[in-house]
Amino acid sequence: GDLVDGGRYVSPGRCRVEGDWSNAAFMLACGLLSGEVAVCGLNPQSLQGDRRIIEVMRAMGGCVKEQKAAFIAQKSRIHGVELDIGDMIDAGPVVSFLAAAAEGRTVLTGTERLKLKESDRLAAIIEGVNAMGARAYAEEDGARLVIEGNPSLSGGTVDGKNDHRMVMSAAALASLCGGTVLGAEAVNKSYPAFFADYRSIGGKFYVG
């Protein structure tokens, strides 16, 4: 609440806390790749930068509908795009792993800050996308990330680098083609219920 009278707090009363677009992106990605998924509780007018994930998914050819209080992502034939992710840098991993399964080339710019996250996400994305059977590489000292998509991925082993967003992005892609994600416990940082929710939408996994 606001400070009044030199130090006392006054409660603003009840307020609604909107849903987290960053975490919703992983479930919506599962929908585009593997089958219809509805995510509720998201504010379409949110100031969160990752709200742009809907715009990005649609630009890739993904079918994402807004219906009542939910966004519904449906399995889609997606294609590469060129876009600047500088203002939604936390979505870099999930966009990259979507691009791995897309037809054609994706070029992401504004990617330098990926190096400065919980892991060097730029290096981790390149390693992970390549491990899953597509091709990724950086240009311009990391200012551009290029991903050559492969719609016929057969899966692989991705090191999550103890990074929650890397783990969840790789798991979303694995919903399509299978695979192994190391360090899955990293989801506890931001989304402890991720794998429970993943199972609830039809995802299959086991912990080795």
Side-chain angles (χ1 to χ4, degrees):
D2 296 328
L3 276 172
V4 295
D5 297 336
R8 290 189 300 111
Y9 284 91
V10 176
S11 171
R14 299 179 65 182
C15 60
R16 183 184 181 92
V17 178
E18 65 183 40
D20 186 338
W21 277 98
S22 296
N23 283 341
F26 306 113
M27 294 302 167
L28 294 170
C30 289
L32 286 194
L33 293 170
S34 301
E36 184 171 292
V37 172
V39 181
C40 303
L42 297 170
N43 176 9
Q45 282 80 47
S46 173
L47 297 179
Q48 297 174 46
D50 286 352
R51 177 174 64 89
R52 277 190 63 209
I53 193 65
I54 299 297
E55 170 191 328
V56 171
M57 289 177 169
R58 288 171 175 164
M60 297 179 82
C63 179
V64 185
K65 300 177 180 179
E66 185 179 354
Q67 193 172 91
K68 294 184 180 179
F71 282 86
I72 303 169
Q74 298 177 327
K75 187 170 182 177
S76 305
R77 184 174 178 175
I78 56 175
H79 56 74
V81 291
E82 295 190 14
L83 71 149
D84 185 338
I85 62 166
D87 64 350
M88 53 180 297
I89 200 68
D90 282 341
V94 71
V95 173
S96 299
F97 278 91
L98 275 174
E103 295 182 350
R105 171 184 290 192
T106 292
V107 179
L108 304 179
T109 57
T111 50
E112 303 97 319
R113 285 172 48 217
L114 286 169
K115 299 178 183 180
L116 306 174
K117 293 294 182 174
E118 285 83 343
S119 64
D120 177 345
R121 282 185 184 156
L122 184 63
I125 287 168
I126 291 169
E127 179 184 319
V129 166
N130 290 338
M132 292 295 271
R135 181 171 179 246
Y137 54 93
E139 297 180 335
E140 300 177 12
D141 197 28
R144 284 165 52 96
L145 174 61
V146 181
I147 299 164
E148 305 283 357
N150 176 7
S152 300
L153 293 172
S154 57
T157 298
V158 176
D159 186 342
K161 306 294 184 182
N162 197 33
D163 185 327
H164 54 138
R165 297 193 193 282
M166 286 299 305
V167 169
M168 293 185 280
S169 299
L173 180 56
S175 74
L176 171 69
C177 59
T180 301
V181 184
L182 305 178
E185 65 277 5
V187 301
N188 292 327
K189 176 174 181 179
S190 64
Y191 194 168
F194 173 77
F195 283 106
D197 289 347
Y198 187 82
R199 178 179 283 122
S200 76
I201 62 172
K204 297 178 181 178
F205 67 92
Y206 67 92
V207 179

